[in-house]
Amino acid sequence: MAPAKPIAVGISDTAASNAALLWAAARANRLKCPLAVVNVVDDRWMAAEVLPYLEVLRESGLGLLKEAGEKAVAAEPGLQISLQLLEGGVGAALGDYSRNASMLVLGTSGHNRGALTDRALQAAATAECPVTVIGEGQSEGRGILVGVDGSRESTQAVAFAAAEADALGEELTVLYAFTGPNRWIAAGLPQSSFATHVVEEEQIVLSETEAGLRQDYPDLVVHTVMETVLEPADALLRAAAGARLLVLGSRGKGGFERLVLGSTAHAVLTQPPCPTVITRMHKQHNG
């Protein structure tokens, strides 16, 4: 049997990064897989005359890795840990490294759109594995929430979320935020049977999702919610407050191929209400 791919956690010297480290270590221990602790030295702007400073950055990065490794071992004794120093653009380097990982875990600066958030977004857009973004000060919640919209990406997100909920003994909530008819009515169009028909068609997406889950996970408690007032990102942020995990697909329905991170996922990741997983779309089934 091939060795399990590690869970990789990208670290820096922030509180959110420390939270991500501990979350990743706990998950790796629960799944009995290795943990790879990764730090990236951003050398993109280093000119030849400042190369000595690059060595200082490398030493600092190695120090962060050593300290993080010690914290992870203290939190999860017996965990198999490797330390990896990378160089290059942070988002791109982590995205490339994700090919060797089963999951990439990152901290975010939360409500402030700072560099950490931007790097988390970049990595989530390019990673080859699921990406989990952890905010600072997030307490342990209850329940798994997954956002759906009928796309292939959200179907994969549902599969991931259901497996997580089943393994953790959590209830699963499937949320579909659809605001089309309300936008039309707000714009002055009269309510019509067509608008009602659209909502009914979208309700079928939820019903089919629920039916599939009940077949695959007969003991899983599943709740379905259709939100027709709030925008999708706002609905997810509100519903996921206090959740153990929020799961989203990498791209929503109707997204351009080049926009590998959908607008809803992008909005949620700038202020994740709980640990948030962005699943990936693969031609082959995830192992």
Side-chain angles (χ1 to χ4, degrees):
M1 180 181 295
K5 284 187 175 183
I7 292 172
V9 55
I11 64 158
S12 60
D13 57 351
T14 67
S17 175
N18 187 61
L21 171 70
L22 297 178
W23 191 93
R27 181 179 179 87
N29 198 20
R30 177 170 63 84
L31 298 181
K32 307 302 179 188
C33 69
L35 176 71
V37 185
V38 182
N39 179 253
V40 182
V41 175
D42 193 340
D43 65 355
R44 291 173 299 166
W45 315 116
M46 290 292 175
E49 59 269 20
V50 292
L51 282 180
Y53 182 63
L54 180 58
E55 192 57 37
V56 172
L57 291 179
R58 288 181 180 136
E59 290 298 322
S60 176
L62 290 171
L64 277 175
L65 286 172
K66 182 175 182 295
E67 182 180 353
E70 292 170 352
K71 286 181 181 177
V73 168
E76 305 291 343
L79 184 62
Q80 181 183 342
I81 299 176
S82 62
L83 308 178
Q84 183 72 47
L85 187 69
L86 307 178
E87 296 182 11
V90 176
L94 290 173
D96 288 342
Y97 190 81
S98 70
R99 298 171 185 168
N100 307 312
S102 60
M103 175 178 282
L104 175 63
V105 183
L106 301 169
T108 178
S109 55
H111 294 277
N112 299 316
R113 287 293 310 281
L116 282 175
T117 301
D118 293 337
R119 290 166 184 172
L121 292 171
Q122 293 166 17
T126 60
E128 296 291 329
C129 66
V131 175
T132 302
V133 180
I134 310 293
E136 181 183 353
Q138 291 176 345
S139 57
E140 183 79 5
R142 298 294 301 171
I144 309 293
L145 175 70
V146 59
V148 301
D149 62 4
S151 66
R152 291 183 302 155
E153 285 81 4
S154 73
T155 299
Q156 181 167 289
V158 168
F160 183 98
E164 286 288 304
D166 186 62
L168 295 171
E170 295 280 2
E171 297 184 2
L172 176 66
T173 298
V174 182
L175 186 147
Y176 190 173
F178 177 71
T179 55
N182 293 293
R183 285 201 189 96
W184 306 334
I185 295 167
L189 295 177
Q191 297 190 41
S192 66
S193 58
F194 174 69
T196 301
H197 175 71
V198 169
V199 173
E200 290 174 348
E201 286 292 310
E202 299 304 329
Q203 184 67 52
I204 292 175
V205 174
L206 266 182
S207 299
E208 291 178 344
T209 300
E210 183 179 15
L213 288 173
R214 295 198 188 286
Q215 180 176 354
D216 294 339
Y217 299 95
D219 298 326
L220 182 63
V221 177
V222 180
H223 309 279
T224 57
V225 179
M226 174 168 277
E227 171 60 61
T228 61
V229 177
L230 295 175
E231 293 292 327
D234 293 333
L236 289 164
L237 289 171
R238 176 178 292 186
R244 183 167 181 173
L245 197 68
L246 169 61
V247 183
L248 300 173
S250 57
R251 206 172 48 239
K253 184 188 293 185
F256 293 104
E257 286 295 320
R258 62 187 177 84
L259 298 177
V260 291
L261 190 63
S263 59
T264 297
H266 186 284
V268 170
L269 286 188
T270 61
Q271 47 181 333
C274 65
T276 300
V277 180
I278 306 297
T279 59
R280 309 310 304 166
M281 196 68 201
H282 293 293
K283 293 179 181 178
Q284 297 180 349
H285 181 70
N286 276 347

